[in-house]
Amino acid sequence: MKVDGRHFRSIWLEPDGWSVGAIDQRRLPHDFVVARLTTGDAAVDAIRSMLVRGAPLIGATAAYGMALAMRADGSDAALDRAYKSLIAARPTAINLKWALDEMRSLLRPLPPAARAEAAYSRAGAIAEDDIAINQGIGRHGLALIESVAAAKKPGERVNVLTHCNAGWLATVDWGTATAPIYLAHDRGHAIHVWVDETRPRNQGASLTAWELGHHGVPHTVIPDNTGGHLMQHGMVDLVIVGTDRVTANGDVCNKIGTYLKALAAHDNGVPFYVALPSPTIDFTVDDGIREIPIEQRGPEEVSHMTGRTSDGRIETVRIVPDGSPVANYAFDVTPARLVTGLITERGVLKADRAALAAAFPERIAAAAE
Ligand code: MRU
C-alpha cells in the first residue's frame, strides 16, 4: 500500500539481494523508519521486540530469518538453531510455525551449500503468496460489504468495526481484515471504520488508524470499551477482525478484547467476521480456549503509555500507581459459535470443522502426517 505516495510492503528483500528491509512498527505512527535485518538473530529480535508483528508478517519474517541464517551457515546445526530460536520468538501466532516448517522441510534434504539460495526463493514465495491470499480475502469480503451497502439508503455509509491491526502492516501487503475495506473504498463505496484503540499496545490507534489514514479511508478511533454502545445504537453494520490462530473447529484466537466484541456483536445481532489466510488455521488443535498458548507480555505495556508531546518529543509515562500489580494477556479466544463467518482466500466459510476441512483438504491431510 502507499505511504506518502510511495508503494511499500511491510517487508522486502533489499536491492543488495540478501538483506531484508522492514518497517519498524514500534516507531509508528509518529516516525516512519525502515530497519535492515542482516542476520537470523536480527530477525528473531525483530519478531520478539515487535519491530514486526501480526501473524502473517511474523511468518514471512521468520522465513527470511531462516534465509539470513542459511546465508551465514548452511549446516544442519545452523538450520536447527535458527528454527529453534525463531519459533521461540512469539508463542501464539501459528503462521510462525507454519512458515518455519515449510522452510525446514524444504531445506533439510538439500546439501548445505544449496540451502541459502533455496531459502531465499521460498521466503520470497511465502511473501508473494501472502499478498495473493489477502487479495482473495479482499474479494470475498467485498461481497459481504456490498450486500450491506445494497440495503442502505443513498448516501449512507457502511460502518465496519475492527480490533487491533489486521491491516497491511500485519501482513506483507493489503492486510486480512482490511483487504475488503480497501477494495470497497477503492471501488467507491462509502465506508467508515471504527478503529478500536486496542490497549495495551494500541495497535489500532497507532497502526490501523495510520494505514487507513494514508489510504484515505474514513475512520474514527474509539476506546476499546465503546463498541458495545455503538452496536446498541445501530452504528456498526459488521465487525471484521484478523486472527493469530484458528482451530480445526473454528475457534478464533486474536488480540485480547476480541472476545468481548464478539459477545457484544452476538447480543446486538451484528455480524462478526474473521478474516484469515489459510496458514493461520491450526488443524492440530480443536479447543482454542484450552489448547492455544496465550502470550503474556511485560507489565510496562499496561502500566505505561508512550506518545508524542506537543513539542514533538516521544515520551513514556507511568499511568498506574507504583506498586500496583498488572496483568498483560496478549490474546483471547472467541468460540466458533460467536463467529458469523471466516473470510478466507477460498470463500466465506462457516466457523466449523466440516467447512474448514472441505475448503482446505490438503492442510488437514498435512496435519495428520
Ligand atoms: O500482538 P500482535 O500485534 O502481533 O497481534 C496482532 C493481532 O492480533 C492481529 O489482529 C492478528 O495477528 C491478525 S494479523 C492479520
Side-chain angles (χ1 to χ4, degrees):
M1 307 299 282
K2 292 241 164 81
V3 180
D4 296 332
R6 196 170 147 208
H7 183 260
F8 271 91
R9 292 178 174 181
S10 61
I11 193 164
W12 60 89
L13 197 61
E14 290 285 4
D16 60 20
W18 69 271
S19 65
V20 175
I23 297 170
D24 187 344
Q25 301 193 19
R26 300 168 304 188
R27 307 287 298 274
L28 290 171
H30 305 299
D31 296 308
F32 184 77
V33 175
V34 161
R36 182 167 172 255
L37 312 178
T38 56
T39 63
D41 285 345
V44 174
D45 190 54
I47 296 170
R48 188 181 292 133
S49 70
M50 293 177 72
L51 184 153
V52 294
R53 27 68 51 208
L57 177 57
I58 289 171
T61 307
Y64 277 119
M66 201 70 139
L68 288 166
M70 291 297 93
R71 178 176 184 269
D73 176 357
S75 67
D76 285 357
L79 179 58
D80 292 343
R81 213 169 33 243
Y83 184 97
K84 234 172 118 184
S85 52
L86 283 160
I87 203 158
R90 290 194 68 187
T92 306
I94 197 64
N95 307 56
L96 175 62
K97 180 172 186 309
W98 173 84
L100 289 171
D101 287 347
E102 287 283 308
M103 298 296 284
R104 187 170 62 177
S105 61
L106 168 81
L107 300 176
R108 177 65 87 190
L110 300 178
R115 286 178 178 164
E117 193 182 332
Y120 274 105
S121 153
R122 184 70 188 113
I126 285 174
E128 292 301 329
D129 286 352
D130 180 67
I131 297 170
I133 285 173
N134 296 336
Q135 288 170 336
I137 291 170
R139 284 191 294 276
H140 293 298
L142 174 67
L144 298 173
I145 292 173
E146 284 181 333
S147 72
V148 174
K152 293 259 171 198
K153 295 196 190 84
E156 274 183 355
R157 59 192 189 178
V158 175
N159 285 295
V160 180
L161 184 141
T162 194
H163 190 68
C164 195
N165 172 253
W168 70 266
L169 289 167
T171 66
V172 179
D173 208 350
W174 283 94
T176 55
T178 55
I181 293 168
Y182 286 131
L183 264 187
H185 173 78
D186 290 352
R187 296 216 176 160
H189 292 292
I191 190 160
H192 166 263
V193 184
W194 297 110
V195 179
D196 277 356
E197 63 174 344
T198 319
R199 278 285 286 154
R201 276 296 281 225
N202 295 329
Q203 287 95 331
S206 302
L207 305 176
T208 307
W210 181 84
E211 57 165 271
L212 290 174
H214 274 271
H215 199 76
V217 179
H219 63 280
T220 307
V221 179
I222 49 173
D224 293 329
N225 316 329
T226 310
H229 170 78
L230 298 178
M231 292 183 207
Q232 285 175 327
H233 291 270
M235 296 163 79
V236 180
D237 294 301
L238 69 166
V239 178
I240 310 180
V241 297
T243 170
D244 295 82
R245 196 185 303 209
V246 170
T247 68
N249 65 12
D251 290 346
V252 169
C253 183
N254 191 47
K255 182 55 56 192
I256 192 78
T258 303
Y259 170 50
L260 293 177
K261 290 300 133 69
L263 284 174
H266 184 71
D267 196 44
N268 290 283
V270 173
F272 182 92
Y273 288 101
V274 179
L276 65 141
S278 53
T280 303
I281 308 165
D282 185 352
F283 278 107
T284 68
V285 164
D286 284 316
D287 182 336
I289 295 170
R290 270 162 205 85
E291 295 180 72
I292 296 178
I294 299 295
E295 179 179 11
Q296 289 190 54
R297 299 188 56 80
E300 61 290 341
E301 290 181 350
V302 178
S303 59
H304 289 70
M305 284 191 88
T306 299
R308 189 167 61 191
T309 61
S310 52
D311 61 358
R313 285 172 298 116
I314 303 295
E315 278 214 5
T316 299
V317 294
R318 187 173 178 90
I319 57 167
V320 171
D322 285 331
S324 285
V326 301
N328 191 5
Y329 295 91
F331 300 93
D332 62 24
V333 174
T334 299
R337 66 186 158 77
L338 297 176
V339 177
T340 309
L342 301 171
I343 311 172
T344 75
E345 70 268 28
R346 294 192 187 162
V348 181
L349 310 176
K350 250 185 106 188
D352 66 24
R353 174 180 284 280
L356 282 167
F360 298 102
E362 75 285 10
R363 293 292 313 286
I364 203 162
E369 278 170 12

